[in-house]
Amino acid sequence: MRVLHRGAAAFATAAALLAGIAVAAEVRADPAPVDDSSFTETVTAPAAGERENFGASCGIVVEGSHVTAYCRNPYPDTDRVRLHVECARWWDLDTDSAPVAVPPADYAQVTGRCWKEVRSAWITHEPAGRG
């Protein structure tokens, strides 16, 4: 009878651990929303002779006052990406990162920050042969 009791206790403990892991996986803090109403992005058709398939695909994560852009370039041309961060407070300096080259089939991470809240953040792209 004693062995059965220990087995039930072990089963209950394993079930509680698995339930805790499942709850922890579901309860994740989403990053603060980025307000993109303060800027507009102008999209133009590619110039003659320029490739249409260009530009790293980037995701931006805002955590408090820190901004991180994760960029992956699936195309055969190098892309130079820049992270632009606009801060919410008037006295807080907005920042523009230096261009970061993302070679073909490669990955780059660009960071920026404000002292307080972030109003908006965005990425710009430029072919590596320019500038």
Side-chain angles (χ1 to χ4, degrees):
M1 187 66 148
R2 194 167 166 92
V3 174
L4 185 59
H5 184 311
R6 286 185 187 161
F11 179 74
T13 303
L17 285 173
L18 289 175
I21 290 171
V23 170
E26 289 296 320
V27 181
R28 289 183 289 178
D30 288 335
V34 177
D35 179 22
D36 61 354
S37 63
S38 61
F39 67 94
T40 58
E41 185 175 343
T42 305
V43 178
T44 58
E50 188 174 338
R51 297 184 70 121
E52 186 172 338
N53 292 335
F54 171 78
S57 124
C58 299
I60 298 175
V61 176
V62 178
E63 294 178 359
S65 63
H66 296 273
V67 180
T68 306
Y70 303 93
C71 298
R72 186 183 70 81
N73 186 4
Y75 298 112
D77 296 325
T78 299
D79 184 12
R80 291 174 46 174
V81 297
R82 293 182 71 176
L83 174 64
H84 307 277
V85 179
E86 184 177 337
C87 301
R89 308 288 176 121
W90 66 269
W91 47 263
D92 206 348
L93 297 176
D94 299 341
T95 59
D96 299 319
S97 74
V100 175
V102 186
D106 208 352
Y107 168 87
Q109 181 175 326
V110 188
T111 60
R113 70 178 299 262
C114 294
W115 282 100
K116 291 284 188 176
E117 300 87 14
V118 174
R119 176 173 292 148
S120 62
W122 66 96
I123 289 284
T124 56
H125 303 269
E126 179 180 296
R130 296 182 185 171

